[in-house]
């Protein structure tokens, strides 16, 4: 996607851009436009799910760094629990 330069041609709106996560909910058939989301731990309590994330082992150290530093950059694989 190109950057928009003020005074130049405006970029397309979000609604005109094809997004992989965008679902046409008005489409007939196709299951009513529902997205499939997989969570093997969905029957567990939320606290238990968080404890099973790979990054949970470092939780105390991360919280210490966030509290004591002006800026903290956290890098990890998708789904590891950075949020």
């Amino acid at each position: 996607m190109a950057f928009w330069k003020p005074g130049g041609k405006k970029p397309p709106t979000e609604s005109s851009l094809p997004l992989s996560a965008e679902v046409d909910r008005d489409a007939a058939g196709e299951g009513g436009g529902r997205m499939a989301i997989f969570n093997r731990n969905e029957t567990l309590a939320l606290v238990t799910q968080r404890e099973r994330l790979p990054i949970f082992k470092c939780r105390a150290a991360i919280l210490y760094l966030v509290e004591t530093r002006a800026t903290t950059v956290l890098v990890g694989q998708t789904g590891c629990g950075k949020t």
Side-chain angles (χ1 to χ4, degrees):
M1 185 172 165
F3 289 100
W4 176 65
K5 183 177 177 183
K9 182 180 174 187
K10 291 192 177 191
T13 61
E14 283 187 32
S15 61
S16 66
L17 296 174
L19 299 175
S20 60
E22 192 173 296
V23 177
D24 183 11
R25 301 201 185 279
D26 295 328
E30 299 183 26
R34 285 186 263 150
M35 291 178 55
I37 298 174
F38 175 72
N39 179 5
R40 72 177 70 126
N41 299 319
E42 69 182 345
T43 59
L44 300 174
L46 188 58
V47 173
T48 308
Q49 289 183 37
R50 287 181 181 158
E51 290 171 355
R52 289 187 174 197
L53 293 171
I55 206 163
F56 188 79
K57 293 176 259 177
C58 306
R59 185 175 189 270
I62 293 168
L63 290 175
Y64 172 78
L65 291 171
V66 169
E67 290 177 4
T68 59
R69 307 285 193 249
T71 303
T72 305
V73 178
L74 191 60
V75 179
Q77 293 180 340
T78 301
C80 74
K82 297 178 299 288
T83 303

